[in-house]
Amino acid sequence: MNALTNPGSKTLQFDLTARKSILTIAGQKAEVLTYNNSFPGPLLEAQEGDQVMVRFHNQLQVPSNLHLHGIFMSPEDDKPHEVVAPGTTLTYAFEAQAGSAGMYWYHPHAHGSVTRQLFEGLSGPMIIRGPLDRIEPLASATEKVLVLHDIQIENGKVAPHEGMDWGRGKEGNLVLVNGESRPTLPIPTGLLRLRIVNASAARYYKLGVPGKKLQVIGLDGSFLEQPVSVDTLLLSPGERADILLEATEASTLSLLNLPYKRTPMGPSQDTPVEGALLATFEVQGDTNTVHLPEKLLEIPELNLATATDHKTLTFGATMQPLQFTINNKVFDHHRTDLSARADTLEVWDIVNPMGMDHPFHLHTFPFQLISLNGEPAPFRAWKDVVNVPANSTVRIAIPFRKYTGKVMYHCHILEHEDVGMMGNLEVL
Ligand SMILES: [Cu+2]
C-alpha cells in the first residue's frame, strides 16, 4: 500500500545506544554519556513519506528513554511516560508525514533524570526533508547542522549540579557546537543554510552574525511562509532555527551568542556585551550572487472564533523544597491535568508571573504563537517550544488534529521539568 501512495517512500531503521563513553572534549578527556559513542549523537535523516523506526538500546546503568522532540506522531508511539530499563531496548516508530520537513532532535525524557542525562551528553539532531529541500535555491545551499550543547568538565567527569543550579538552570562553562569549542568551518561562497538546535539543558542563545542579516526560513519542525529577515534570533532550550546567510564573497563570518537576560541575575557571566564566539565560517571562492526563496510553506491562519476551549496555564515555584509548578501543581505521572477534544482548536494563555523566562514545550501537537502580552505575533509559524519571558503572557492556538492520547507539556529548562514543571494533557 505504501508503495502505491508514496512511490518514493522507504522504511528506515536507526539504532541509538545510550552508554558511558570516554571522549576528549575541548581538549579534556572526560567520561560523558553518548548515543553511539558520539557527542552529540548522530544526525538522523528521513524524507517525508518515510517510515522511521528508531531502536533505542539503554546501555546505561539507570533507566532512560528517548523523546523524538517535535515529531508529529501518535502519543502512543511517543510514549515519554515509558522508561527503558538498563540493558533493554525500546523501538519508537513514526511516519515522516507530508508537510513535516524541518529540524528535530532527540533526547532522554525519563522524568527526574532528564537534566543530568542530557547535560552529560545525551542529545542528537534529526532532519526530515521535503520537496522544498529538493528545489532551488535550497537544493544547492551549503547546509551545516549546528547542535548547541553546553557542558562542564571537572576531574574527568561532567560537573555535578549544585543546589542553586536546580533553580536557575545550570549552564556549562564549555559552550560547544557539535561537541567542539569554537569550531572553524570552511564553506564555499553562496547560500549558507544553518540548521541550529538548542540542545542545552538551560542555556539560551541569542544568535547573531555581525554584518549579516539572518534570513530565517524555518523554526522548530516547520518552514515559515517566507524568509523573515532579522539581526538576531533568540533560541531557548529545545527550539530550532533554519537560517540562510548570503555568503556571497570570500570572508570570515562569526556566529555569536549575544547577551540575553533570562533571569533577574542578568545575562550569563561568560557572555560579554559584544557576544561570545560560537563558530567561525571561512567563506572561500569566487564572488557570486544568491537568491532567497520567495515562497515556502503555506501556514493557515487559525480562526480563533472557532476555539472550543480557552485554558490558562500559570507558572510558579515553591522554596524548600524547591519545586516548579504549573497551575500550582508539581508533575504527577498518574494525574491527568488537562483534557481536550480531538479535532478541535484551543487557545491557551501561558502566564509567567515569575522573574525568569521559561520555554514552554507541548508534545505531539504543533501550535501557533498568537500574541505576547497582547501584541500580535509578527508572523505565522508552527512551533513546539515557545519562550515565555519573565512577567509575560504568551497566547498560543493549538489544533488537536489526527491523534488522541496522553501528551506532556513542560518547561524546557530541564531542571525545572525534573523538579515538577510539567503536566499531562489527555486528548479524547
Ligand atoms: Cu522553567
Side-chain angles (χ1 to χ4, degrees), residues 324 356-359 411-413 416-417 421:
F324 283 82
M356 67 189 300
D357 291 18
H358 297 280
C411 177
H412 224 288
I413 290 176
H416 299 171
E417 175 196 333
M421 206 169 197

